[in-house]
């Protein structure tokens, strides 16, 4: 009975040999009953199997049966006890018969037992025994059949039994591993120490394993020699036959296939179709090349171990095979490289054609950019596309020249066939493609030059429009500064003259800004005429420029009038207020006092008058507080002049009061 047949029953662990022994050296058989109902038939099968394992010598010493009923019902325990006819002993009295080291942990002992490990090792042992016995029979049949009978019977016998049903190497390896386990007494023990095992010399005969291994090695060695001799006899004949098959095909159909393929195609699709056809040819050749590699290895092996009479023939076959295969492989590689170069050439040509189409489409669409930045971006894109076209054309020339060089070498592989016509067609096609691309690129370059000039003019137009608008803003800022900050009239004549001089320079700046804006607007008109378009801003900017300039001119003139009146007022007032005894008649002139008073009042009145623009709008210089401060200073000066006048009219009164 084999463990594999009753494996489901053995896994239930209805009974087991733990490897422990009683004081009489008899094996301990343990029956662990559980809560579930124990199948007596299965228990009987398990016991039959376990009792068949030990040797007769071991069986003669008897067994100690431990029925563990602590987890089972009494009627089950009773049935088992009656079936085995054993004596009942309580668990605490087991040590009277068995040493604790021979008891498992379930009974307070220290013996380690793993049922599944034991079962697995048992299966390995039985499998090895069965396979090795069967293999020995097969090897003996093969080896004995090769030693008797005539040559024809020998070959027939060997052919019929040439391969064993199992791999001898695998069986031998399994046997060695099993023997190693047995010799180390670790079949069921732990790695940490030595324990009794049911798979020792008494249970599984170690000599049996060793004997089987010795027999297997002997028969396997003989079997290998039989195979070697048979292989040597048949291999040479097979090699000769296969070599001729390879040579005949490569020099026949293989060469004919290559002779029929010389074109390179006129497009990517055509080149791909030729490449696919060549791959089919290569695929057929690769099958024969694989045979060549295998044959070459076989011949090399025979040359290393062959007889003297076979060396000359083997070397001749090897040389013939190598010459034909290398020549055919070189031709295939040349053809593959040629087609790959043609595919790359057509690929570059197609990419370049698409780039030229894209560039031409971009040039054929009229541009209407919104600003200078858009124009710059468009110009940059044009330059990038043109540069990409240059790079593509250069790449096309390089690919084309490389392809032409390969085609010029094609005649050396022509097998005597005149390929001048095919080569001329291929060369004309390649040169025609390169010339066509050069002409298309030149046309695009001319159009790019025209577009570049137009767009640069548009950049200038937008720049002029932007600068003109900026000039209007600057002039508006100058006007705003004039009205808000140019307020003071000076504390004396000298300061007022300085203010007047600064104001004139200020006006010169405004005049330059206005002239700059006018020039820019005139330039936009010229550019619009050149571009045949209308300016976006000249129609609005020019009136704004003129309006702001007119407002600035009016405000500036008013500022000049006020400064000139202030100069006249301060000059006359300073003459009177200064002590000039040498000119008493000038100081005593009443008309001068009247004139100063009149100028002062006029100046005060003018300070309260706003600047009136042509559109009717009004604007004051500075804030009311600024005007009040300026007017207060003029009134103070007028009071001093009035006081001086009184002094001159009544000098005695002023002296007494003094």
């Amino acid at each position: 009975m084999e463990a594999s047949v009753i494996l489901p029953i053995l896994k239930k662990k209805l009974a087991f040999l733990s490897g422990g022994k009683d004081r009489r050296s008899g094996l301990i058989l343990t029956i662990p009953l559980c809560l579930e109902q124990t199948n007596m038939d299965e228990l009987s099968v398990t016991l039959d199997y376990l009792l068949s394992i030990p040797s007769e010598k071991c069986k003669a010493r008897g067994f100690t049966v431990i029925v563990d009923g602590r987890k089972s019902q009494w009627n089950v325990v009773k049935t088992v006890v009656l079936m085995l006819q054993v004596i009942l002993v309580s668990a605490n009295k087991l040590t009277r018969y068995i040493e604790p080291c021979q008891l498992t942990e379930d009974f307070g002992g220290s013996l380690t037992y793993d049922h599944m490990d034991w079962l697995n090792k048992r299966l390995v042992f039985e499998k090895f025994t069965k396979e090795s016995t069967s293999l020995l029979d097969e090897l003996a049949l093969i080896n004995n059949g090769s030693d008797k009978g005539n040559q024809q019977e020998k070959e027939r016998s060997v052919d019929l039994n040439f391969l064993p049903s199992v791999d001898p190497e695998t069986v031998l390896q399994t046997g060695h591993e099993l023997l190693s386990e047995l010799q180390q007494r670790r079949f069921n023990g732990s790695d940490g120490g030595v324990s009794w095992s049911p798979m020792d010399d008494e249970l599984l005969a170690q000599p049996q394993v060793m004997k089987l291994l010795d027999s297997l090695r002997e028969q396997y060695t003989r079997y290998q020699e039989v195979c070697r001799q048979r292989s040597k006899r048949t291999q040479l004949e097979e090699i000769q036959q296969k070599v001729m098959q390879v040579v005949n095909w490569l020099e026949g159909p293989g060469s004919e296939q290559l002779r029929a393929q010389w074109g390179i195609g006129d497009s990517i699709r055509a080149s791909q179709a030729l490449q696919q056809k060549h791959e089919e040819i290569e695929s057929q050749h690769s099958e024969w090349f694989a045979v060549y590699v295998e044959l070459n290895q076989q011949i090399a092996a025979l040359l290393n171990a062959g007889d003297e009479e076979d060396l000359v023939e083997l070397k001749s076959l090897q040389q013939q095979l190598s010459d034909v295969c290398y020549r055919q492989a070189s031709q295939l590689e040349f053809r593959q490289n040629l087609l790959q170069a043609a595919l790359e050439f057509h690929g570059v040509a197609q990419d370049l054609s698409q780039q030229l189409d894209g560039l031409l489409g971009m040039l054929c669409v009229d541009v209407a950019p919104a600003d200078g930045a858009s124009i710059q971006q468009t110009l940059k894109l044009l330059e990038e596309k043109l540069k990409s076209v240059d790079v593509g054309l250069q790449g096309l020339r390089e690919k084309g020249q490389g392809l032409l060089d390969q085609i010029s070498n094609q005649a050396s592989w022509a097998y005597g066939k005149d390929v001048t016509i095919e080569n001329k067609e291929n060369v004309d096609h390649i040169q025609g493609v390169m010339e066509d691309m050069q002409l298309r690129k030149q046309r695009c370059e001319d159009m790019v030059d025209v577009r570049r000039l137009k767009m640069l003019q548009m950049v200038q137009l937008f720049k002029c429009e932007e600068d003109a608008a900026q000039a209007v803003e600057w002039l508006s800022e100058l006007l705003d500064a004039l009205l808000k900050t140019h307020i003071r009239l000076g504390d004396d004549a000298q300061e007022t003259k300085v203010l007047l001089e600064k104001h004139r320079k200020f006006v010169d700046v405004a005049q330059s800004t206005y002239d700059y804006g006018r020039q820019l607007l005139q330039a936009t008109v010229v550019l619009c005429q050149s571009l045949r378009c209308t300016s976006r801003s000249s129609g609005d900017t020019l009136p704004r420029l003129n309006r702001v300039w007119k407002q600035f001119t009016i405000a500036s003139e008013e500022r000049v009038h006020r400064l000139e009146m202030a100069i006249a007022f301060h000059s006359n007032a300073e003459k009177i207020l200064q002590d000039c005894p040498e000119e008493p008649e000038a100081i005593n002139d009443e008309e001068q006092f009247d004139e100063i008073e009149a100028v002062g009042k006029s100046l005060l009145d003018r300070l309260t008058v706003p600047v009136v623009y042509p559109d009717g709008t009004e604007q004051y210089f500075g804030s009311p507080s600024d005007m009040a401060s300026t007017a207060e200073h003029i009134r103070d000066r007028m009071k001093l002049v009035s006081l001086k006048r009184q002094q001159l009219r009544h000098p005695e009164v002023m002296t007494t009061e003094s």
Side-chain angles (χ1 to χ4, degrees):
M1 184 183 300
E2 297 179 0
S4 59
V5 178
I6 59 172
L7 183 60
I9 298 176
L10 292 178
K11 286 183 177 181
K12 294 181 179 181
K13 198 180 178 182
L14 300 177
F16 62 89
L17 292 169
S18 65
K21 297 181 180 180
D22 57 19
R23 298 182 187 276
R24 299 175 296 103
S25 297
L27 294 177
I28 298 174
L29 176 64
T30 304
I31 303 176
L33 300 177
C34 57
L35 293 176
E36 299 178 358
Q37 184 67 29
T38 302
N39 189 316
M40 293 303 166
D41 294 334
E42 293 181 351
L43 177 58
S44 177
V45 171
T46 303
L47 292 175
D48 291 341
Y49 175 76
L50 293 176
L51 294 176
S52 68
I53 295 175
S55 63
E56 294 299 327
K57 182 180 179 181
C58 184
K59 291 179 183 179
R61 289 195 290 267
F63 294 85
T64 293
V65 181
I66 300 177
V67 180
D68 186 1
R70 291 174 295 180
K71 298 181 180 180
S72 179
Q73 298 177 359
W74 168 245
N75 58 346
V76 177
V77 176
K78 181 179 179 181
T79 302
V80 174
V81 169
L82 292 176
M83 180 180 69
L84 298 177
Q85 296 181 358
V86 297
I87 300 173
L88 292 176
V89 178
S90 61
N92 55 6
K93 295 181 180 180
L94 285 176
T95 54
R96 295 181 181 179
Y97 305 94
I98 305 171
E99 293 290 339
C101 63
Q102 300 298 317
L103 291 173
T104 61
E105 296 178 355
D106 295 336
F107 303 105
S110 59
L111 181 64
T112 301
Y113 174 75
D114 186 339
H115 184 69
M116 292 308 299
D117 181 70
W118 173 85
L119 184 57
N120 291 333
K121 295 299 187 300
R122 183 65 189 175
L123 290 171
V124 172
F125 171 76
E126 291 184 355
K127 179 182 179 183
F128 168 72
T129 303
K130 180 180 179 181
E131 289 182 349
S132 59
T133 303
S134 175
L135 181 59
L136 283 172
D137 294 338
E138 294 177 358
L139 292 178
L141 180 61
I142 296 173
N143 296 335
N144 294 334
S146 63
D147 294 336
K148 59 185 178 179
N150 55 33
Q151 183 70 19
Q152 182 177 3
E153 293 175 348
K154 184 191 302 182
E155 292 180 357
R156 180 167 61 252
S157 175
V158 174
D159 289 340
L160 292 175
N161 303 278
F162 194 72
L163 291 177
S165 59
V166 293
D167 182 18
E169 295 285 350
T170 304
V171 177
L172 284 171
Q173 182 179 357
T174 303
H176 285 299
E177 293 175 354
L178 179 59
L179 182 60
S180 177
E181 290 283 348
L182 293 175
Q183 290 174 344
Q184 296 178 12
R185 300 177 61 85
R186 291 176 55 208
F187 192 86
N188 191 40
S190 62
D191 294 337
V194 178
S195 62
W196 291 97
S197 169
M199 297 296 290
D200 61 6
D201 294 345
E202 295 179 335
L203 297 180
L204 291 177
Q206 179 175 328
Q208 181 182 356
V209 177
M210 297 176 64
K211 182 178 180 180
L212 286 173
L213 285 174
D214 292 340
S215 300
L216 277 175
R217 281 192 291 266
E218 179 184 357
Q219 291 294 335
Y220 184 49
T221 302
R222 291 182 58 194
Y223 168 74
Q224 288 178 318
E225 179 62 23
V226 170
C227 293
R228 191 185 70 81
Q229 293 296 333
R230 171 59 180 170
S231 176
K232 180 180 177 182
R233 287 193 300 270
T234 60
Q235 193 172 13
L236 183 58
E237 298 176 359
E238 293 176 354
I239 288 176
Q240 291 175 342
Q241 182 181 1
K242 290 181 179 179
V243 166
M244 295 312 300
Q245 288 178 351
V246 174
V247 171
N248 291 336
W249 189 90
L250 291 179
E251 291 183 343
S255 298
E256 288 297 329
Q257 289 178 347
L258 284 177
R259 290 192 186 98
Q261 299 292 319
W262 288 106
I264 63 171
D266 56 0
S267 63
I268 292 181
R269 182 175 298 179
S271 295
Q272 288 175 338
L274 290 173
Q275 221 173 27
Q276 184 177 0
K277 177 63 177 178
H278 183 73
E279 289 175 357
E280 295 175 359
I281 296 175
E282 280 188 331
S283 178
Q284 297 179 29
H285 279 74
S286 64
E287 297 176 1
W288 292 97
F289 288 153
V291 177
Y292 156 71
V293 172
E294 181 181 355
L295 288 174
N296 198 40
Q297 293 175 351
Q298 294 176 2
I299 293 174
L302 291 177
L303 286 174
N304 292 331
D307 298 330
E308 290 295 333
E309 62 272 11
D310 298 332
L311 292 180
V312 176
E313 183 179 1
L314 286 173
K315 288 183 178 180
S316 176
L317 287 173
Q318 187 181 42
Q319 187 63 42
Q320 180 184 11
L321 183 63
S322 297
D323 291 343
V324 174
C325 288
Y326 277 118
R327 183 172 63 250
Q328 200 76 357
S330 299
Q331 295 164 0
L332 286 170
E333 182 180 7
F334 174 83
R335 176 62 179 168
Q336 175 61 32
N337 293 337
L338 183 68
L339 290 176
Q340 183 61 34
L343 182 62
E344 293 176 359
F345 172 78
H346 290 127
V348 173
Q350 179 174 298
D351 293 341
L352 180 59
S353 178
Q354 293 174 353
Q355 292 177 0
L356 289 169
D357 291 341
L359 180 58
L360 182 62
M362 186 177 179
L363 294 171
C364 291
V365 176
D366 197 11
V367 293
D371 50 32
S374 300
I375 293 178
Q376 293 291 351
Q377 185 176 0
T378 304
L379 279 174
K380 182 179 179 181
L381 182 59
L382 277 176
E383 297 296 340
E384 290 176 353
K385 285 185 173 293
L386 191 59
K387 183 177 180 181
S388 178
V389 168
D390 287 335
V391 173
L393 184 60
Q394 181 62 30
L396 182 67
R397 292 194 185 107
E398 294 175 358
K399 294 293 184 182
Q401 187 58 49
L403 186 56
L404 290 173
D405 293 341
Q406 285 185 292
I407 291 176
S408 65
N409 297 327
Q410 188 173 7
S412 61
W413 303 104
Y415 292 101
K417 176 184 177 182
D418 186 7
V419 294
T420 305
I421 298 177
E422 287 92 343
N423 281 344
K424 185 176 185 306
E425 292 178 356
N426 294 333
V427 170
D428 291 343
H429 169 69
I430 296 169
Q431 293 177 345
V433 170
M434 291 192 293
E435 292 173 359
D436 179 62
M437 293 300 172
Q438 178 63 40
L439 291 175
R440 291 177 62 185
K441 174 183 174 290
Q442 187 62 47
R443 287 196 295 268
C444 287
E445 284 181 341
D446 296 339
M447 296 179 68
V448 167
D449 291 339
V450 175
R451 176 58 59 87
R452 185 187 296 111
L453 177 60
K454 180 178 180 180
M455 300 192 81
L456 289 176
Q457 288 180 336
M458 296 184 73
V459 170
Q460 293 178 350
L461 173 62
F462 289 152
K463 181 63 177 174
C464 289
E465 291 176 345
E466 293 173 0
D467 291 348
Q470 184 63 53
V472 175
E473 294 297 326
W474 288 342
L475 197 58
S476 299
E477 292 174 0
L478 292 174
L479 175 60
D480 188 60
L482 174 63
L483 293 173
K484 291 182 179 180
T485 62
H486 293 215
I487 301 168
R488 295 184 68 255
L489 297 179
D491 296 336
D492 52 38
Q494 183 62 31
E495 183 181 1
T496 305
K497 290 179 181 179
V498 173
L499 290 175
L500 180 59
E501 183 63 25
K502 289 182 178 180
H503 176 72
R504 285 171 178 162
K505 293 180 180 180
F506 184 77
V507 172
D508 291 341
V509 173
Q511 181 68 50
S512 299
T513 303
Y514 172 71
D515 294 341
Y516 176 65
R518 292 279 299 184
Q519 292 172 2
L520 290 172
L521 291 175
Q522 290 174 358
T524 59
V525 173
V526 175
L527 289 172
C528 287
Q529 291 175 351
S530 175
L531 295 171
R532 297 180 182 179
C533 65
T534 58
S535 175
R536 301 175 305 169
S537 59
S538 59
D540 175 61
T541 306
L542 182 59
R544 286 176 54 214
L545 180 65
N546 291 332
R547 180 172 64 254
V548 175
W549 176 246
K550 185 64 177 178
Q551 293 175 351
F552 182 87
T553 302
I554 294 174
S556 175
E557 290 175 353
E558 177 62 26
R559 173 68 175 167
V560 170
H561 290 159
R562 294 185 181 186
L563 289 173
E564 290 176 347
M565 290 178 66
I567 291 173
F569 172 75
H570 287 304
S571 297
N572 293 331
E574 289 171 359
K575 289 179 182 180
I576 293 176
L577 294 176
Q578 291 176 357
D579 294 332
C580 300
E582 66 277 6
E583 296 180 1
E585 68 282 358
I587 297 176
N588 294 331
D589 190 353
E590 290 290 335
E591 293 181 358
Q592 290 185 5
F593 286 98
D594 293 339
E595 182 180 356
I596 292 173
E597 184 178 359
V599 173
K601 290 181 179 180
S602 298
L603 186 56
L604 290 173
D605 292 339
R606 193 142 196 160
L607 290 176
T608 61
V609 176
V611 179
V612 181
Y613 296 141
D615 58 359
T617 58
E618 298 178 351
Q619 186 68 45
Y620 289 91
F621 280 93
S623 63
S625 61
D626 294 333
M627 289 190 295
S629 176
T630 303
E632 183 64 25
H633 178 72
I634 295 173
R635 291 191 185 96
D636 291 342
R637 181 57 67 92
M638 290 177 67
K639 288 180 181 179
L640 292 176
V641 172
S642 176
L643 181 61
K644 185 70 174 177
R645 186 175 189 178
Q646 291 179 7
Q647 289 177 353
L648 294 175
R649 286 180 179 178
H650 308 285
E652 66 284 358
V653 176
M654 300 302 295
T655 301
T656 304
E657 292 179 356
S658 307

